[in-house]
Amino acid sequence: MTKSELINAIIAKTGLSKKAATEGLEATMEIITETLMAGDKVQLVGFGTFETRARAARTGHNPATGEAVEITAARLPQFKAGKALKDALNQ
């Protein structure tokens, strides 16, 4: 599902205007992003939790040359599905 398909699904479920549905979805994504950037997590009970995880710096290898390459540390977004979402998928 693409972003525009998600917006159309929101419109179908709620009856909101396209502008309102788009603004709501974009605001939600922006708030989740800002919260993760601040180092906090977003927990939507029953749906899941968005959080960040730290990945340590490490040495990798270039597969073409076999040469050692330094990979920098990074913060990565993670999503952990909630129980209600898992149960819905496994019915």
Side-chain angles (χ1 to χ4, degrees), residues 52-65:
T52 58
R53 302 280 170 114
R55 183 178 68 194
R58 65 189 192 281
T59 303
H61 296 281
N62 181 332
T65 63

Side-chain angles (χ1 to χ4, degrees), residues 41-55:
K41 66 181 179 179
V42 177
Q43 186 173 2
L44 305 172
V45 176
F47 183 72
T49 303
F50 296 92
E51 59 188 341
T52 58
R53 302 280 170 114
R55 183 178 68 194

Side-chain angles (χ1 to χ4, degrees), residues 30-42 52 75:
E30 187 175 311
I31 291 167
I32 291 171
T33 301
E34 290 170 355
T35 303
L36 294 176
M37 287 172 59
D40 296 327
K41 66 181 179 179
V42 177
T52 58
R75 286 177 45 205

Side-chain angles (χ1 to χ4, degrees), residues 10 16 18-29:
I10 292 169
L16 291 172
K18 185 167 187 154
K19 181 179 179 183
T22 301
E23 288 174 353
L25 179 59
E26 288 179 357
T28 301
M29 293 187 314

